[in-house]
């Protein structure tokens, strides 16, 4: 029996992300499929679900401010419906080992340093894929994407 039912249009899913990006992920998937068949070494990489959800939050984060900034050129128009949700997320994740300054991280046990290095590497890889997917520079997306990646953290 169902305890609670949430309408799909109230969930942030891969479909939500794709619609928000004007179908950019679907187009990338289509191009990737054809590129892989024609030129396997040149095929684009699709964002993982984690990365796609982080991209969604990263692109919506600036508009969660009390006074949203104007939309930068190159970004697709973003729906205002997610603004209240994004505004409730933590403003920072400064207690996560991957976000600690290198000097402080060096004081932590080796296992924590290793986990932080893995997280940083995943963020860097995901950032490259996501920035390419939406045609935005990595520098412009970096801070919001790193924040969003931790907001979606899946335990790895």
């Amino acid at each position: 029996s169902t305890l609670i039912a949430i309408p799909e249009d109230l969930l942030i899913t891969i479909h939500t992300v794709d619609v928000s990006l004007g179908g950019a992920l679907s187009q990338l998937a289509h191009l990737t499929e054809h590129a892989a068949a024609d030129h396997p070494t040149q095929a684009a990489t699709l964002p993982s679900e984690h990365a796609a959800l982080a991209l969604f939050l990263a692109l919506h984060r600036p508009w969660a401010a009390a006074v949203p900034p104007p939309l930068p050129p190159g970004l697709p128009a973003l729906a205002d419906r997610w603004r209240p949700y994004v505004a409730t997320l933590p403003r920072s994740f400064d207690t996560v080992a991957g976000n600690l300054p290198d000097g402080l991280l060096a004081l932590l046990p080796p296992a924590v340093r290793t986990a932080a290095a893995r997280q940083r590497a995943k963020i860097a890889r995901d950032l490259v894929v996501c920035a390419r997917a939406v045609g935005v520079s990595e520098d412009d997306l970096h801070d919001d994407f790193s924040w969003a990646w931790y907001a979606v953290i899946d335990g790895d």
Side-chain angles (χ1 to χ4, degrees):
S1 68
T2 303
L3 293 178
I4 187 169
I6 301 172
E8 188 173 343
D9 67 334
L10 296 179
L11 299 174
I12 300 174
T13 65
I14 295 301
H15 178 72
T16 309
V17 175
D18 193 38
V19 168
S20 173
L21 297 175
L25 294 181
S26 295
Q27 292 171 359
L28 184 61
H30 179 74
L31 292 173
T32 299
E33 183 179 308
H34 290 295
D38 297 338
H39 306 285
T41 59
Q42 296 178 4
T45 303
L46 286 173
S48 66
E49 287 186 17
H50 183 128
L53 294 172
L55 175 63
F56 179 88
L57 291 178
L59 294 176
H60 282 76
R61 186 180 188 205
W63 289 270
V67 179
L71 191 66
L75 284 182
L78 300 173
D80 198 37
R81 75 177 296 170
W82 298 106
R83 185 173 179 264
Y85 168 71
V86 176
T88 66
L89 296 173
R91 294 191 187 277
S92 68
F93 294 96
D94 55 359
T95 59
V96 178
N99 272 347
L100 295 175
D102 290 337
L104 187 55
L105 186 61
L107 301 174
L108 296 175
V112 175
R113 291 194 306 266
T114 300
R118 270 197 319 267
Q119 285 179 342
R120 288 177 177 183
K122 282 183 181 181
I123 291 170
R125 283 191 308 268
D126 287 349
L127 175 61
V128 169
V129 171
C130 288
R132 287 181 186 159
V134 295
V136 176
S137 81
E138 293 169 38
D139 289 340
D140 288 343
L141 191 56
H142 182 271
D143 291 344
D144 288 333
F145 185 80
S146 295
W147 165 84
W149 196 90
Y150 285 112
V152 180
I153 197 157
D154 61 7
D156 283 340

